[in-house]
Amino acid sequence: MASERPSTPPPQSASHNSTVPPTSSLTPEQVKRIEINRLKAKALRDQREAEARKRNDAPSLHRSNSGNLAAGQKRTHAAISTSSVPAAPGDGWSKDPAKSGGFRPLEAIRPARNFAKFVEYDFSKMTDTKGGFLAEEDDPHSNALQKANLEDKPAHMTLKEWQRHQLLRSLRERKEGPFEPGISALKREENKACRECGSLEIDFKWEEIFACAICNACKEKFPDRYSLLTKTEAREDYLLTDPELKDEELLPHLERPNPHKATFHNMMLFLRYQVEEYAFGKKWGSAEALDDEFSRREKEKKKRKEDKFKLKLQELKKKTRVDAYRRSRKGGGGGGQFGDEIGSGGKHTHTWGRAVENAEGIGVKTCVDCGMEVEELEF
């Protein structure tokens, strides 16, 4: 019918492709011979590639005139491998990959020199010292923070053994970890409890030094009693002397490394309620008496400053009188005041000359009579 569409694609006529024989023209014998020849060529190519690999030489690849590989020909692994490429002095490849057990690209890559050393810290678990430095408690295994301790390392111990020894000694001093005293369930009367809440989990380090059984929760809950004071604060705020602060039987103290510099002396930390009990109860009597003593010392300090200023002022006046006397004696006069003209009893009046610029570019005027010089600035 004329309305039906032709099939797609339309059948080709024999006149357009008369030179190409149809597929059905090949006999089964011809197809078998073609397949045999293809397998022989493939086996011959595999044999040549195996011989080339044994000689560590890439197989000769037959290329066409266009420079590309011939149709159906594949490159071997040895042809595209970079194991035989020498390493440049500036790249990150190892110069001798055979030492690492063959060619391993990921293991042969080396980091840049500037990024080879770094330290990774967990800032969520570190103490904010507000000073921009790290404490040894936050990084006990850092060699940079423990260079002073490495000087005492015995020769027969390795660095790892010495660090483990230092860690165990630190835990023993703080009574933590395996060195924390145990709590007996049988002898409850011998267990020491917190003086505020009665908890058995007390700070044994404080109990040993300050003889104060207190837990960590109560230390944070009552900072007005269980906070630590430095030696400077105890001396200036409570007016205690150095012999009193150094007496461990009178005021026990806890020593910590100085956070400002490792070479400074260790800090002496005192318990606040013990310092207040001694200052208010034994030395001054009460907090009001301490305030009165503080006010009295401030007045004495102010009076000493004023007396020192007056003494210096008197010395300056004496020196000025001596200079005036010498000037009068030099001029032959019988007295006079400072500033009087030498040789006559009248007041000296300067007669300034013209301004002359000095080496710094500032105008200088000189008195014609006495030679006094003054600088002149122009705005």
Side-chain angles (χ1 to χ4, degrees), residues 183-196:
I183 299 175
S184 176
L186 301 177
K187 302 179 180 179
R188 295 182 177 273
E189 62 278 359
E190 297 182 1
N191 296 331
K192 298 180 180 180
C194 176
R195 56 185 297 174
E196 297 290 343

Side-chain angles (χ1 to χ4, degrees), residues 356-362 364:
V356 180
E357 291 186 359
N358 57 7
E360 299 179 356
I362 301 176
V364 178

Side-chain angles (χ1 to χ4, degrees), residues 6 66 82 88 91-92 117 153 158 184 198 211 269 312 314 320 353 362 374:
S66 61
T82 58
D91 60 7
K117 295 181 180 180
K153 184 178 75 66
T158 61
S184 176
L269 302 177
K312 289 186 177 181
Q314 291 292 337
T320 305
I362 301 176
V374 293

Side-chain angles (χ1 to χ4, degrees), residues 232-242 244 279 283-284 289-305:
T232 305
E233 293 174 344
R235 184 174 59 245
E236 295 180 355
D237 297 345
Y238 296 93
L239 305 180
L240 302 180
T241 60
D242 287 341
E244 293 173 344
K283 184 169 185 178
W284 304 114
L290 176 61
D291 294 339
D292 297 340
E293 179 66 18
F294 184 81
S295 301
R296 186 185 66 81
R297 293 190 181 187
E298 288 295 324
K299 291 179 181 178
E300 290 183 356
K301 186 187 298 184
K302 185 178 180 180
K303 187 177 181 299
R304 285 196 300 268
K305 288 184 178 181

